[in-house]
Amino acid sequence: MSERSPLEQADEDYEVYLQGSYANTTHTRGSSDVDVVAKITSAWRSDLEELSEEEEERYNEDHDDANYDHRDFYDDVLTALRIKFGRSAVTPGNKAIKIDKERTSLLDVDVDVVACGEYPSVLA
């Protein structure tokens, strides 16, 4: 994992919680997987589209480029899951990281983990 990883730092820059049928207690035993969200809360994205050239220049002088992004977080979540459940049980996907219960003795049900970022909305 990267040295900037919130997983490695053991800080509170990420949250993990259930989503979907297990979170809503509407799952059917034996037919549902568990949906888990791993959400980084410390990342942010800038939108400079409406700034003037002068404002954008000032912004760039005051802010460094991010050195830990969503892809880094996804990779760190994937690495942590492989360490915990074994490489053969964990498969990266386009939207979710899948953990196969048949390939690990630690789970009774398949798990989908979505590694995502928090983007606060701004109300005008």
Side-chain angles (χ1 to χ4, degrees), residues 38-110:
K39 179 174 72 173
I40 188 169
T41 58
S42 62
W44 57 276
R45 174 185 280 173
S46 58
D47 179 1
L48 310 180
E49 192 172 300
E50 295 187 23
L51 296 182
S52 69
E53 190 175 316
E54 181 182 312
E55 290 170 325
E56 188 173 337
E57 208 173 283
R58 190 169 58 234
Y59 175 89
N60 289 327
E61 288 173 5
D62 293 339
H63 295 86
D64 294 328
D65 290 336
N67 58 4
Y68 186 84
D69 62 16
H70 174 263
R71 185 72 218 178
D72 295 320
F73 183 63
Y74 180 95
D75 290 343
D76 286 343
V77 170
L78 178 62
T79 299
L81 293 172
R82 285 179 167 166
I83 289 168
K84 177 69 178 179
F85 299 106
R87 186 172 192 86
S88 67
V90 179
T91 306
N94 288 339
K95 296 182 181 175
I97 300 167
K98 307 228 180 254
I99 307 172
D100 184 351
K101 70 176 181 180
E102 301 299 325
R103 297 181 175 261
T104 180
S105 61
L106 299 173
L107 298 172
D108 295 329
V109 65
D110 292 330

Side-chain angles (χ1 to χ4, degrees), residues 34-38 77 81 95-99 111-115:
V34 175
D35 299 315
V36 176
V37 174
V77 170
L81 293 172
K95 296 182 181 175
I97 300 167
K98 307 228 180 254
I99 307 172
V111 177
D112 292 339
V113 179
V114 176

